[in-house]
Amino acid sequence: MYNPKSEHAEDFIDDSEILDTLDYAERNKNNRSLVERILQKASECKGISHREAAVLLLCEEKDLIDRCFSLAKKVKEEFYGNRIVLFAPLYLSNYCVNGCLYCPYHYKNKVITRKKLTQEEIRKEVIALENMGHKRLAIESGEDPVNNPLEYILESIRTIYSTKSGNGEIRRVNVNIAATDVESYRRLKAAGIGTYILFQETYNKKNYEELHPTGPKSNYAYHTEAMDRAQLGGCDDVGIGVLFGLTTYKYDFVGLLMHAEHLEARFGVGPHTISVPRICPAEDIALADYPNTLPDDIFVKIVAIIRLAAPYTGMIISTRESQRVREKVLELGVSQISGGSRTSVGGYTTTERHDETAQFDVSDLRTLDQVVSWLFDMKHIPSFCTACYRAGRTGDRFMALVKAGKIGHCCTPNALMTLKEYLMDYASPDTRKKGEEMIAQEVVKLPEPNIRRLTIQHLKEIEAGQRDFRF
């Protein structure tokens, strides 16, 4: 029976509730008065339920869909303004003992080249990333207790934080590794991680078990309950997501929002981020084997409705998606993107765009500088800020500021200051010119005179080479 506060996966991701929700949405998808009431509720910026979101997802009335998109843009601006946080993935190892059918890292794949970075190789990768201008990483690793034990991950985090190149440093390490136990989450938190990220892949238990026939990840309940254990271990910023295309998008859309509601109900803190990857081609993986792949128009609609359902959460899109698709979803809900990414182990220190250690093919092949310049063209502020993490604004403290509409008082000044750092240290001349113009335009818009004064002061200090403060 559906119980969002339960600690058991099959209670808070209840199959009958999802099917009932989809049936309700199908019957009411063109019920104009109901859809209008849902949109009115969404306009209050307090979120909507998974059932209400499902009605919007299935709605076929063009004018109502257009209103949904307009509202998503408005809600996104209300909470996150025009800031876009930038990060890069760092693949440590593709050794894996799981049998996930959709992932080229699965243990039966004899085509892919297996590789694990040494600490010296990690240091070189980090220097390459710092020399691009990155301040925030998401480390990725296959699940292999022999090759990739927790001690290796912890040592790698220490290496990343201790590696400096010029003015460059990594200020936040987010971690995307396999589900583990409470004590391990405590150790990750003590190591100074930012967000703990784990994708559910699919919430359909039957499909999940078919797609994960072997390995530790085959345990549906243990995997689905990982975020609960992470919270109990002190990791109060967690990131969830599904891999759209593994099963029907409608089922996983509802399951994803139910998971967010569960975290809010049990811990008082919803997910810090929601990621929306789609399955894409990779070594040993053919899209023809996955009939539920998601078309662009539905994908864009999903992003917009997630923004309405969970207005407080950061939304992430990776370089799986093309520039064209990323342009659409940035307006409707996405607040974090990767730039200059490599999805191979050791990819930042090789001249090859793709090699046989890659997890998936990258669609957006632009450099970080090109991505930053593109964001300027779309009137977005590229942000390298990590101040909330270091200032202790995580979990319920972060969410309280977001839900009160006050997080922008912290984020916008810090976005401008970290952008200033990037422009001075790494940007091409054309990108720097665009960026200086944007900073001049945005700083005068800061609503609080004292915040505006301090921001201008810090910008001058950065210009003068003073880097004693951290954003």
Side-chain angles (χ1 to χ4, degrees):
M1 182 178 295
Y2 177 53
N3 178 3
K5 292 186 177 182
S6 173
E7 63 186 71
H8 301 296
E10 291 186 55
D11 292 335
F12 62 81
I13 306 294
D14 180 71
D15 179 70
S16 62
E17 171 63 18
I18 294 177
L19 296 178
D20 286 348
T21 292
L22 293 175
D23 178 66
Y24 173 82
E26 181 65 33
R27 287 185 284 108
N28 288 279
K29 62 185 180 183
N30 296 320
N31 182 336
R32 293 189 67 90
S33 62
L34 175 61
V35 172
E36 288 174 349
R37 288 198 301 273
I38 294 171
L39 290 174
Q40 176 57 39
K41 181 179 176 181
S43 71
E44 297 170 4
C45 296
K46 295 180 180 178
I48 57 177
S49 71
H50 64 271
R51 186 161 289 212
E52 292 165 330
V55 173
L56 296 184
L57 181 66
L58 271 62
C59 178
E60 298 171 334
E61 301 292 332
K62 185 179 184 305
D63 64 316
L64 295 177
I65 295 171
D66 289 343
R67 283 172 59 185
C68 180
F69 285 174
S70 297
L71 184 55
K73 183 176 180 180
K74 180 180 177 182
V75 170
K76 195 250 181 171
E77 290 174 351
E78 177 74 19
F79 282 89
Y80 287 95
N82 61 339
R83 303 179 302 279
I84 301 295
V85 171
L86 289 157
F87 74 96
L90 174 57
Y91 282 76
L92 302 180
S93 171
N94 63 1
Y95 284 96
C96 193
V97 298
N98 287 310
C100 313
L101 300 184
Y102 53 86
C103 178
Y105 288 3
H106 67 86
Y107 80 102
K108 286 186 177 180
N109 186 353
K110 305 305 180 186
V111 177
I112 195 169
T113 301
R114 301 291 176 177
K115 186 175 181 180
K116 170 187 173 180
L117 297 180
T118 66
Q119 296 306 307
E120 182 57 30
E121 288 171 329
I122 291 171
R123 192 170 289 106
K124 290 178 180 178
E125 289 280 286
V126 171
I127 289 172
L129 285 159
E130 289 174 348
N131 289 342
M132 292 183 204
H134 277 295
K135 307 294 185 189
R136 178 189 299 235
L137 302 184
I139 60 174
E140 318 268 350
S141 176
E143 182 170 12
D144 186 326
V146 174
N147 287 294
N148 314 324
L150 181 64
E151 286 70 19
Y152 170 69
I153 302 298
L154 296 172
E155 184 183 10
S156 300
I157 293 169
R158 289 192 293 271
T159 297
I160 293 167
Y161 278 136
S162 65
T163 299
K164 318 290 182 186
S165 178
N167 288 325
E169 61 180 338
I170 301 304
R171 299 172 179 171
R172 177 170 180 141
V173 178
N174 297 333
V175 175
N176 184 358
I177 61 170
T180 187
D181 55 41
V182 173
E183 179 56 31
S184 295
Y185 288 121
R186 289 196 182 102
R187 296 180 67 190
L188 286 167
K189 180 67 175 179
I193 72 165
T195 304
Y196 172 69
I197 302 164
L198 184 68
F199 298 163
Q200 179 61 27
E201 317 300 2
T202 177
Y203 286 95
N204 186 310
K205 185 173 184 289
K206 181 176 181 293
N207 285 14
Y208 182 96
E209 291 173 345
E210 291 173 351
L211 289 162
H212 304 90
T214 59
K217 196 171 178 177
S218 63
N219 187 328
Y220 172 85
Y222 188 78
H223 188 82
T224 311
E225 294 160 8
M227 292 308 181
D228 293 53
R229 296 191 300 278
Q231 287 280 358
L232 294 172
C235 297
D236 51 359
D237 280 355
V238 298
I240 63 175
V242 295
L243 183 56
F244 283 107
L246 294 183
T247 189
T248 64
Y249 71 87
K250 299 174 187 177
Y251 192 104
D252 276 338
F253 171 84
V254 176
L256 182 66
L257 294 183
M258 288 172 69
H259 199 173
E261 290 170 354
H262 160 70
L263 293 171
E264 183 78 41
R266 187 175 182 204
F267 299 102
V269 182
H272 187 76
T273 59
I274 292 178
S275 297
V276 286
R278 289 190 284 181
I279 192 167
C280 65
E283 202 79 52
D284 195 45
I285 305 298
L287 288 187
D289 295 331
Y290 296 90
N292 291 305
T293 52
L294 200 61
D296 288 352
D297 59 337
I298 298 298
F299 179 68
V300 170
K301 192 176 183 182
I302 283 173
V303 169
I305 299 171
I306 291 175
R307 175 51 65 209
L308 299 182
Y312 55 82
T313 194
M315 288 185 67
I316 300 176
I317 193 168
S318 76
T319 46
R320 288 174 183 262
E321 300 297 339
S322 67
Q323 175 181 339
R324 180 179 60 82
V325 170
R326 300 220 293 179
E327 284 178 359
K328 289 182 180 180
V329 296
L330 280 175
E331 297 292 332
L332 298 174
V334 166
S335 57
Q336 297 187 27
I337 63 171
S338 53
S341 301
R342 302 289 188 274
T343 65
S344 52
V345 182
Y348 297 104
T349 50
T350 179
T351 57
E352 297 296 326
R353 272 290 184 177
H354 172 79
D355 67 31
E356 293 179 351
T357 69
Q359 187 180 34
F360 59 85
D361 291 345
V362 171
S363 295
D364 190 342
L365 298 173
R366 292 171 296 168
T367 66
L368 178 60
D369 188 80
Q370 289 170 330
V371 171
V372 169
S373 179
W374 164 69
L375 290 173
F376 290 146
D377 292 340
M378 294 194 299
K379 310 303 180 186
H380 292 298
I381 304 173
S383 175
F384 297 87
C385 176
T386 61
C388 283
Y389 156 67
R390 284 189 313 284
R393 291 189 295 267
T394 61
D396 56 358
R397 295 168 296 287
F398 175 83
M399 288 299 177
L401 287 170
V402 175
K403 292 176 181 178
K406 296 180 179 179
I407 195 65
H409 293 171
C410 304
C411 293
T412 302
N414 288 329
L416 295 174
M417 288 183 278
T418 57
L419 175 57
K420 180 72 172 182
E421 290 181 326
Y422 174 82
L423 296 176
M424 290 188 63
D425 295 340
Y426 309 104
S428 65
D430 182 62
T431 299
R432 181 170 183 179
K433 182 175 184 293
K434 290 181 183 180
E436 295 290 0
E437 291 172 355
M438 169 159 277
I439 289 174
Q441 294 166 3
E442 294 293 332
V443 75
V444 298
K445 298 178 185 177
L446 294 171
E448 299 291 334
N450 192 47
I451 292 175
R452 187 162 60 248
R453 178 185 62 79
L454 287 172
T455 302
I456 292 171
Q457 176 185 328
H458 286 324
L459 288 168
K460 290 179 179 177
E461 291 171 353
I462 294 169
E463 185 80 42
Q466 299 177 27
R467 303 290 181 90
D468 293 334
F469 37 82
R470 295 290 180 265
F471 312 107

